[in-house]
Amino acid sequence: MSIKILNEENRIILRTKNTMYVMEILYGKYPVHLYYGRNQKNPELTFENHYCAFSPYYDEHGTKFSPDTAMMEYPFFGMGDFRASALRLYDSVGGTNITDFVFRKAKKFRGRPDLGGLPAAEGASETLELIMDDPVTRAELHLYYTLFPASDVISRSFMIKNKGKGDLELEKAMSLALDIPKGDYDLISFQSTYPHERAMCREPIYQGNRRIVSRRGSSSHHANPFFMIVDRKATETRGDAFGFNFVYSGSYLDEIEKDQNGMIRAMVGLGEESFHYLLKPGESFTSPEAVMSYSSKGIGELSRNFHRFTKNHILKESPYPLRPVVLNSWEAFYFKINEEIMVDFAKGAAECGMDMVVMDDGWFGSRRNDRAGLGDWTPCPELFPNGLGAFIKRVQDTGVKFGIWIEPEMINPDSDLYRAHPDWVISCEGRDRMLSRHQMILDMANPDVVQYLKDSFDKCFEGIRIDYFKWDMNRNMSHAVSPYLPPERKRESAFRYMLGVYELYRWLLERFPGAMIENCSGGGGRFDLGMMSVSTQIWTSDNTVPEDRIFIQYGTSFGYPASVMSCHVANRRSEATDPRRMDFGYAVALGGPLGYEFNILKVSDEVKEKMKQQIRDYRRYEKLILNGDLYRLKSPYEDGCYAYYYAKPDNTELLVYYLQVKGDPKQRTHKLKIANAIRGVTYRDTRSGLEVSGDDLRRGLMIQADKDDAYARIFHFTLYGSSLKY
Ligand code: DGJ
């Protein structure tokens, strides 16, 4: 677990717990990639070039090296590599956007580089820094490789400095580039639409260029930045698997390109269409962090690497290590809330053993529907005649904590804020302003806007204990221009917007240290590592229909841990009147931190009793859900069910799920092989009393599908009897 810079051999070797990454500085000038894979003691690695006709080469080295056919560490535009490039820089003096950076030196240091206002993973062990110069533009490039050894993750970012005399313009900025040797690989990505986020898609990688992209100013519902490149034969437990993600929440580009030789280039970064950055002489730019991981043991292990990484290095320590079970007002009342309704709601929540009530949209300014009020962060006096503080105290007196919804980045044209500051809106001069959900986006690149929001929330919640914020964001960015920025900087608007957003998040966390933040963007529209670095959990999707949630949670589980996946039992298909559906909704919601979306003022005593039981039940395994290791067994796309389990690291406790997508008239039997079960011991299911040996669990727990819809089985196995000695 280290970085070795072998100057004499022009080699650099990075090691994490199970992986190894090797590069060579070819001819002392060009960093080329040799290997990323399983850790090996003394692998024989030599640089090979599969030279092809029409590929350019330097006369000095002949066809032994062409940037077009070598595995490059970080490819530049226009310098003889015809594949997609990681960096394109326009030189206003020379009038070209070609660069050819040459290696100057490598150094290593403890910890990680500072990324300024960008989110960054914490607790890195070491960083490799490659310093390179481009003699024509006089730009200096620093490539960073930061190690998180226990999670088998290496993160990548860069810093570029203009050391010349003219302006430079960054036209494409990819944080990570990795060339993978020739092979038959599949791409696994998570793309869909609102509200069916992160639908898993596996497709062969063919020759050509494939992009996963968001141009929406947010990571989006439509395409998650996380993706995997896996051996065509890879399964949950076997095969080579590479994974990639971006610690950023705005527009991004993932680029996957298979070249003429069958090699694959994978890149993650800010891309080009939605990004541009001016570097005046002396100025520098630091890219967001992208992360990669590798597993030789299949897709499941790769997911667990990312889960471990996110839990240990990305997520903030939550003020609530065990998450509050919340009752949220949105699906119960939508905008029809007031003090008395919410206090009764809180009483109902307390009666059912819940920890917190969240007052969703509709509590401030003139916000009685989605057409007005966003931006005016003052409690509405008609709804809370005695003030927000007095109302919240009444809620907290019922015995539950209090959470509140905010949507800081947005503004309705029908708001006092817009009437006072029409210039505070992301918009393009001379062009019609566009709406989405009747709202516009505040110019978070403008420090006055960020300050206004800080002042508003400071005043609004002065002297009040808020235990939880639900930070929402309900539109994507068109006309992505900050009126505040000067013309030459306007194309930086979307990037600088994100810096303002992260600043406000950090301020909120500092100003309300006891509060946790649940992130939301119309559900899971910003389900990314950038948001996770400033929040505790994320509202997985607005779609609370359990049958749909099975697919959403399955897809989400590939890149993200259960502890961030906020899951509520809701009353979307008669869950409040049909006990079987309510059990089913609960079993699906047990995939992450639990909550409810019921109108508790209207439900029957039986339903309340059921909620109480469910919450008591959840308490027994919430630790395992939040901290356990995930093993997927069956795919809802292929097997008609999603089956998986969470295991305690020592495997003495297992929570096994069988979630049937819909009724199966053939009532097939599914065999769930619990490979982590300990041999020679007996487990007991604490829910049903079923006793079963570890060996039998390994051979397979047999589950017969039900002919009807809404069917789920949950088993909570703990060691039993004499086996407790284990
Ligand atoms: C979208 C969110 O995803 C919902 O949960 C709710 O908070 C609404 N916005 C409120 O406007």
Side-chain angles (χ1 to χ4, degrees), residues 330 360-361 405 437 470 472 474 520 522-523 539 542:
W330 182 244
D360 212 286
D361 202 350
W405 179 96
R437 205 196 188 202
K470 175 177 174 184
D472 207 346
N474 283 299
C520 173
W539 179 224
D542 273 357

Side-chain angles (χ1 to χ4, degrees), residues 5 29 41 45-46 136 155 168 212 221 233 235 325 372 432 444 532 561 601 627 630 635 645 676 679 681 702:
I5 303 175
K29 275 175 145 181
K41 264 215 170 125
L45 299 168
T46 41
V136 177
S155 83
L168 298 176
I212 300 166
H221 301 83
K233 293 194 184 122
T235 63
V325 174
D432 286 347
M444 299 294 283
M532 286 172 205
L601 310 182
N627 306 320
L630 169 83
S635 151
Y645 62 96
N676 283 57
R679 286 199 173 91
V681 303
M702 307 299 267

Side-chain angles (χ1 to χ4, degrees), residues 361-378:
D361 202 350
W363 59 268
F364 52 92
S366 54
R367 186 85 171 159
R368 298 298 81 76
N369 55 48
D370 61 7
R371 289 171 177 269
L374 280 174
D376 300 337
W377 297 105
T378 44

Side-chain angles (χ1 to χ4, degrees), residues 264-447:
I264 292 168
R265 175 164 292 169
M267 297 199 288
V268 179
L270 294 165
E272 47 206 329
E273 279 172 319
S274 312
F275 175 76
H276 192 276
Y277 203 94
L278 173 66
L279 289 168
K280 289 190 176 292
E283 288 183 349
S284 62
F285 170 82
T286 301
S287 80
E289 180 169 33
V291 294
M292 61 187 183
S293 183
Y294 163 82
S295 161
S296 60
K297 296 186 188 140
I299 298 165
E301 182 73 20
L302 185 63
S303 286
R304 289 185 290 281
N305 289 351
F306 280 103
H307 296 170
R308 211 170 305 127
F309 171 72
T310 307
K311 288 195 267 195
N312 297 339
H313 301 289
I314 293 284
L315 288 162
K316 288 273 144 307
E317 204 178 315
S318 165
Y320 307 107
L322 291 180
R323 307 296 161 68
V325 174
V326 306
L327 180 64
N328 185 291
S329 66
W330 182 244
E331 288 187 26
F333 311 117
Y334 296 105
F335 289 98
K336 294 201 173 63
I337 50 172
N338 63 36
E339 173 156 350
E340 293 315 314
I341 289 177
M342 285 307 301
V343 170
D344 287 347
F345 199 57
K347 284 181 192 155
E351 190 194 330
C352 293
M354 296 180 199
D355 303 302
M356 182 181 286
V357 148
V358 176
M359 179 163 74
D360 212 286
D361 202 350
W363 59 268
F364 52 92
S366 54
R367 186 85 171 159
R368 298 298 81 76
N369 55 48
D370 61 7
R371 289 171 177 269
L374 280 174
D376 300 337
W377 297 105
T378 44
C380 171
E382 287 105 68
L383 302 183
F384 308 102
N386 307 310
L388 195 63
F391 152 66
I392 292 174
K393 175 138 193 334
R394 283 181 71 195
V395 168
Q396 288 164 342
D397 284 348
T398 68
V400 293
K401 296 184 186 305
F402 180 78
I404 197 159
W405 179 96
I406 53 176
E407 190 176 6
E409 298 153 76
M410 297 293 154
I411 179 166
N412 285 118
D414 184 1
S415 66
D416 293 342
L417 182 63
Y418 190 76
R419 284 181 279 274
H421 292 285
D423 53 323
W424 276 8
V425 167
I426 290 284
S427 55
C428 186
E429 207 184 326
R431 302 192 187 281
D432 286 347
R433 296 182 173 194
M434 295 180 86
L435 299 176
S436 180
R437 205 196 188 202
H438 315 290
Q439 62 199 51
M440 297 179 188
I441 304 185
L442 280 170
D443 178 9
M444 299 294 283
N446 180 346

Side-chain angles (χ1 to χ4, degrees), residues 197-198 218-221 223-226 245-246 248-249 252 310 519-521 523-532 535 537-541 549 552-553 555-557 559-567:
E197 299 90 331
R198 293 168 298 286
S218 91
S219 52
S220 88
H221 301 83
N224 196 269
F226 178 69
N245 209 345
F246 204 22
Y248 187 67
S249 314
Y252 69 88
T310 307
N519 176 262
C520 173
S521 172
R526 273 202 309 205
F527 209 104
D528 59 67
L529 294 179
M531 280 295 131
M532 286 172 205
S535 52
Q537 60 193 41
I538 300 185
W539 179 224
T540 310
S541 176
R549 271 288 182 127
I552 295 168
Q553 293 173 199
T556 305
S557 79
Y560 304 100
S563 63
V564 286
M565 204 160 58
S566 174
C567 296

Side-chain angles (χ1 to χ4, degrees), residues 580 639 658 660 662-671 702-709 711 713:
R580 179 174 164 120
D639 305 309
Y658 167 81
Q660 196 173 291
K662 56 181 190 288
D664 177 3
K666 290 194 186 141
Q667 293 197 273
R668 282 168 298 171
T669 300
H670 297 273
K671 200 188 226 186
M702 307 299 267
I703 310 263
Q704 192 182 18
D706 199 81
K707 59 181 182 351
D708 294 324
D709 290 352
Y711 183 67
R713 301 280 302 274

Side-chain angles (χ1 to χ4, degrees), residues 688-700:
S688 67
L690 172 79
E691 284 173 30
V692 52
S693 73
D695 298 76
D696 279 348
L697 284 179
R698 293 171 74 94
R699 277 188 282 272

